[in-house]
Amino acid sequence: MQVRIPFLSMIGGRSPMDGLLEHYTQVEASMSIIHESLLCYIGGGSACKDFQVLKQELDQLEDKADKIKRNTRNHLPRGLFMAVDKTLFLNYTRAQDNILDSAQDALDWLNIHTVKIPGTLRTGGLAMVEGAIHTVELLKPALEGTVSLLHTDFTDRQAVKDGYRAVRSQHNDVRKMKSLLFRELFSADMEFKDVFQLLHFFEYMHDMSHNAEACADILRAMIAR
């Protein structure tokens, strides 16, 4: 078996791929905040103090993630020492950061105005948000497997590729949920401004899942032979 040893480890440096994992920890932490925020919003609307606190926490996570991204991108080794194509690496950092940007935009839309969400939309809306969060959660093993595979070759290559497929499959489910939810939204007995606001919130939730899928596609390209 051919064992791949990264050049950086040979010279004692830190692999930039580790920066992707560090950045993902901020993305992962934001997912629980998104879930809590929506439950809080539905339960208490703008009167719910926790929603504002959670929104601030998400902003702080996004700021911390931006610093990690900039630090990782600004300290890339020369091309000879990169485990993957530098363009793919930079595209991945952008796509993973877009997950947090979409999450932040979603809560910004939810915070504009208190919307009383009908019961049927609550159920479907929560299911879609949880589905989008799950897409992002599935990215974690895909990223960890990719980093492990790029650093050693001891990792099960097929299992890593299955991880990418799981992300894509989950996003496809989210896309279908969004389509059904939008139909319910436009047929609901609600004011236009409420429909408009929720439409944007759920669109950004979909974008969050879509960006996770884009990340999986870039990871797949990283290990292509």
Side-chain angles (χ1 to χ4, degrees):
M1 176 185 292
Q2 182 183 4
V3 178
R4 183 181 302 152
I5 302 174
F7 287 113
L8 280 177
S9 66
M10 295 169 66
I11 61 175
R14 179 175 183 264
S15 167
M17 299 299 292
D18 293 335
L20 301 184
L21 292 169
E22 187 181 355
H23 182 272
Y24 183 85
T25 60
Q26 307 306 313
V27 176
E28 184 178 37
S30 74
M31 293 303 103
S32 61
I33 291 179
I34 285 287
H35 193 225
E36 285 182 53
S37 298
L38 186 59
L39 291 175
C40 179
Y41 185 88
I42 290 175
S46 61
C48 178
K49 294 180 181 177
D50 287 342
F51 177 78
Q52 298 300 329
V53 172
L54 290 167
K55 190 174 176 306
Q56 289 175 7
E57 289 179 3
L58 182 66
D59 290 343
Q60 290 168 0
L61 280 174
E62 203 278 335
D63 185 54
K64 192 173 179 180
D66 271 348
K67 290 177 182 174
I68 294 171
K69 182 189 72 174
R70 285 195 296 271
N71 184 60
T72 302
R73 293 168 68 109
N74 292 339
H75 294 86
L76 289 179
R78 292 181 180 274
L80 178 63
F81 300 110
M82 286 291 292
V84 299
D85 179 86
K86 188 175 286 187
T87 301
L88 285 177
F89 184 86
L90 294 175
N91 287 343
Y92 183 87
T93 60
R94 187 182 304 112
Q96 186 164 276
D97 201 58
N98 284 344
I99 295 174
L100 266 176
D101 289 341
S102 297
Q104 201 172 25
D105 287 337
L107 287 199
D108 283 345
W109 271 98
L110 208 58
N111 191 43
I112 290 174
H113 158 74
T114 304
V115 178
K116 187 175 181 180
I117 306 175
T120 52
L121 277 176
R122 289 186 186 184
T123 305
L126 267 175
M128 185 199 154
V129 170
E130 288 171 352
I133 289 172
H134 190 47
T135 310
V136 178
E137 290 172 340
L138 288 172
L139 181 60
K140 182 178 183 179
L143 174 60
E144 290 176 336
T146 304
V147 173
S148 178
L149 188 63
L150 289 171
H151 282 174
T152 62
D153 265 1
F154 287 121
T155 306
D156 184 343
R157 186 182 181 84
Q158 188 56 47
V160 175
K161 290 165 71 175
D162 288 343
Y164 307 147
R165 293 191 189 95
V167 175
R168 285 197 291 269
S169 175
Q170 177 60 26
H171 173 65
N172 192 40
D173 289 344
V174 170
R175 186 183 59 77
K176 292 175 182 174
M177 282 191 274
K178 188 194 85 167
S179 179
L180 290 173
L181 193 62
F182 275 23
R183 288 186 187 181
E184 291 182 16
L185 197 55
F186 279 100
S187 61
D189 185 16
M190 300 172 67
E191 292 188 28
F192 172 76
K193 65 178 183 181
D194 294 344
V195 172
F196 189 77
Q197 183 177 337
L198 289 180
L199 184 148
H200 278 83
F201 168 73
F202 290 121
E203 188 66 54
Y204 275 114
M205 283 288 99
H206 173 266
D207 285 350
M208 197 173 73
S209 174
H210 195 195
N211 285 315
E213 184 197 36
C215 286
D217 287 343
I218 297 171
L219 291 176
R220 176 67 184 88
M222 285 182 181
I223 68 165
R225 287 175 172 166

